[in-house]
Each structure stands twice: as C-alpha cells, then as structure tokens.
Amino acid sequence: MANPRLLLPRILCVAAVAAFYACLPAPVSAIRKDIGFAAPIICRSTVQGRHLISDDNGYVCSALSIDPWSRCCPRTGGRFSCQGCNLDSQCCNSYEYCVSCCLNPSRTKEADVLKLKVAKPVTAGTYTNIFDFCMGRCRHSSASVVHENAYLSDFHHCFLVQQNSSGSTESNFGSRLDGINVILGRQGESCSSACRAKGQSCVPSRLAELNKCQILQKYMRCKNGCFPSLGPDQPAEVVDEAPKNLNPGACLYMQMDDRLTCDGSHRHTRRLCPCA
C-alpha cells in the first residue's frame, strides 16, 4: 500500500495544474469578420486632359490634386459642374466639364443611356453605365468638324442623346446646325454641286442632322409624306413631275446614316444640303 505522505504532494500538484488551466481564456474558435474596416473608395476618372480630370462622382479637379490611391477628385468643388457649357445645345468647351455636366442625373437619364449602342453597327454593344456614355459622347466626333480640319465652334464636346433617323429627332437639333447653311438643291443636283454654286462646301458630317423627317418637313413640302429609303441622293424630295411609281411629292430619308454622301444625285429628286 502506498505511503499517504508520498501521495499528498502529488495530489496537490495535480490540483494546482488543473486550477492554472481553468484560469486560461477559452480557445478562439473562429476569426471575427466584423472588425469595422471600411472598403476602400476607388473612382474611375478621365485620362484625356493634361490639366483637368473628371471622376465618376461628377467632380472636376486638376491633375495634380487627384488622390493617387483612390483616383478621386477632392470633394471641395461643385459636383456636376457645367462650367463652360451651353446648356441649350448640351455642348461644352472642355472635355472634363462636359463629362461632369453629363453625369448629372437630371440631364442624363440612366434608363435612356443604357439602351444606346456604343457604335453604329447592329452588332455593337450598349453602354454599361453613365460614366462610359459621358466619356465616349464628350469626345470629339465627326459631327463637331467642318471641312474635316476645323471645329464648327469652341463648344465641340457634346453629350446630347441622339436618337435614330426614322422620324425621331434629338432634342435641340437646331443647335447642331449652327454655322451650317441649309440649301435646297436643284432637281438632279448633288449637294457638292449645290454648295459649290453658293461658294461653299458640303459638310458630310452634317448630312445626318438633315436626314430626319422633322428637318425635311421644315425645309420642304413633303406633301405626300416622309418615308425611309436607300439612295445616295437622300435626304431629298421627289419632284412633282416624277413618275407615279416614284411617289411624287414625297420626302425620303436614308435608312443608313453611314452611307450618306455629298456626291449623290437622282434626276427625279431635289436634295437638302448642309453647306459651310
């Protein structure tokens, strides 16, 4: 039989060890995820200008003041600024302020923008967000150029939402014809010839602005209606003396804007021409 005097120290030692471990905190079973760190704010921004930048929140700042980590502009200036913009034509003299002004939800409706195609081909995709639309629309386009090497005005960054040519028109279309002399050509005459007779040149980039029923009806009688067609002489009006199968008195607009040309003509139509 074991000596009780020898067992007692062992029992006291075991008890002391058990008491020590009982005082230790329970082991952590999982790592907490709600530690309160906010997700970093990252902005998309324009890269076209050397001096100014616009971010996707609608702020404009100098290239030196943008946050190098977030790419966001300081929120000290006005949001959705339209500085240097003509709000009637929705055109600006600065690319960055054009983007900022365009981002204002009161001027550009997201539901309208997301339906628009990025390019003319039927296979082209649509815009995925307003910022992409504003960046793309505010860049220089052929519609801003006359004689292929000069701008029609200083306000050549435009974010106007343009619709198709099948009778619907973009808002404020008249402003898109600033600086353009709209001329009604003679029967069988091309726009190149009609403009040349006035000492001017035909502006190909503005043919699309005339290729709408509202514009045709403004300058022509169109007494027998306005219809889509395909022909190098369009937009045009069929003369009254034309054969009946050509629908005399009708106005015709081209279904495909990318095929519009200044050089086309037809012996039974009179063209509507943009000259400058």
Side-chain angles (χ1 to χ4, degrees), residues 39-53:
I41 298 175
I42 303 295
C43 294
R44 296 180 62 200
S45 57
T46 58
V47 294
Q48 180 163 326
R50 291 181 297 173
H51 307 294
L52 293 177
I53 289 176

Side-chain angles (χ1 to χ4, degrees), residues 22-74:
C23 294
L24 291 176
V28 178
S29 59
I31 298 176
R32 289 186 61 188
K33 296 182 180 179
D34 56 339
I35 55 178
F37 290 136
I41 298 175
I42 303 295
C43 294
R44 296 180 62 200
S45 57
T46 58
V47 294
Q48 180 163 326
R50 291 181 297 173
H51 307 294
L52 293 177
I53 289 176
S54 177
D55 67 22
D56 58 359
N57 288 315
Y59 291 96
V60 177
C61 62
S62 69
L64 297 176
S65 64
I66 194 168
D67 188 295
W69 298 104
S70 68
R71 302 299 299 169
C72 296
C73 284

